[in-house]
Amino acid sequence: MTLRSSGAAQVKNSEVAWGEFDPIAYVDHNYRDLQAEDAEILHIVRDHFAGHFRNQGVGPVSGIDVGAGANLYPALSMMPWCDEVTLFERSSANVRYLKRQLDSYDPNWDQFWDVLCENEEYGSFLVDPRLQFRKVVKVVKGNIFDLERFGGSLRSVGTMFFVAESMTSSCREFTLGVKRFMRALAPGAPFAAAFMEHSKGYYTGKKFFPACDVGESEVRASLEPFASDLDVYRLKTEPKLRSGYSGMILSCGRRGNSDVAVPIR
Ligand SMILES: C[S@@+](CC[C@H](N)C(=O)[O-])C[C@H]1O[C@@H](n2cnc3c(N)ncnc32)[C@H](O)[C@@H]1O
């Protein structure tokens, strides 16, 4: 991900050719090898989900990863408790990538599963993760702004990694994207959402994609109306391999019981 010159005009989500997203270049750059930032995220998210589901006594639940792109680790983090995980994604190229992963996902994802398994709730999951992935994961092409209309029941666990701020340069669309994600979750559902901090946009292959410049306060403000037990962390790991942003922000919490009305800026 590379810095672009400042002063660029605002780019809305609908103006971007998402079909030109190159999942192979994206995986090569970001997820071929486990980066320290993702390891830090995995530690926090796995302990959050494991802590929630431990002693819950509920049967299998349904989960959703919004804007899944070419990243399987959010789905892996929800998988042990789910009989269905929807990977909801707008780009046809990413949808094709995800569908290709269903039968037997690529070996690079094993290192992410291994970090999850350091927590005993994952480590004691006896089913082969590839079998479980094939059994429970469904890939759905769709637009986050239509998520409410996409329908189905509300999900009991959810993730959204590097999407709301990395799909538009409009702050209004960023806030709306977070709202649509949170409204797809049932009251009490645990969630994790990750954000690039102060991103200037990014390249995937040769194609540039826009971003909305957010920091911890914007992330907190966007989630707070819909969340309870909200934690917002700035990762300790400083950006190394990737560039064009100042750090990463991770938020974990539960879907609140009611929405506090906030105007979408
Ligand atoms: C920076 S990538 C993040 C991908 C992945 N979640 C990750 O953790 O690496 C942003 C993703 O958002 C998807 N996206 C963009 N606009 C979207 C929309 N309106 N609805 C759903 N997904 C969208 C893109 O296709 C892309 O996969």
Side-chain angles (χ1 to χ4, degrees), residues 155-226:
R155 307 310 166 109
S156 299
V157 56
T159 49
M160 181 174 71
F161 280 23
F162 314 119
V163 177
E165 83 299 353
S166 295
M167 61 168 188
T168 177
S169 59
S170 152
C171 293
R172 187 178 184 283
E173 287 190 329
F174 160 75
T175 309
L176 187 57
V178 171
K179 178 178 176 175
R180 291 286 179 259
F181 165 62
M182 292 300 284
R183 283 205 162 161
L185 304 179
F191 71 86
F195 304 86
M196 308 299 279
E197 180 191 59
H198 301 310
S199 175
K200 311 288 182 221
Y202 57 101
Y203 279 95
T204 294
K206 292 198 167 72
K207 171 93 182 146
F208 183 79
F209 292 95
C212 172
D213 180 346
V214 296
E216 270 179 82
S217 57
E218 288 83 9
V219 167
R220 183 175 286 283
S222 68
L223 286 162
E224 233 159 22
F226 311 102

Side-chain angles (χ1 to χ4, degrees), residues 13 26 31 67-69 71 89-91 94 143-144 161-162 202:
N13 183 262
Y26 188 75
Y31 302 126
N71 183 5
E89 167 57 44
R90 175 163 189 177
S91 157
N94 286 339
N143 187 330
I144 191 171
F161 280 23
F162 314 119
Y202 57 101

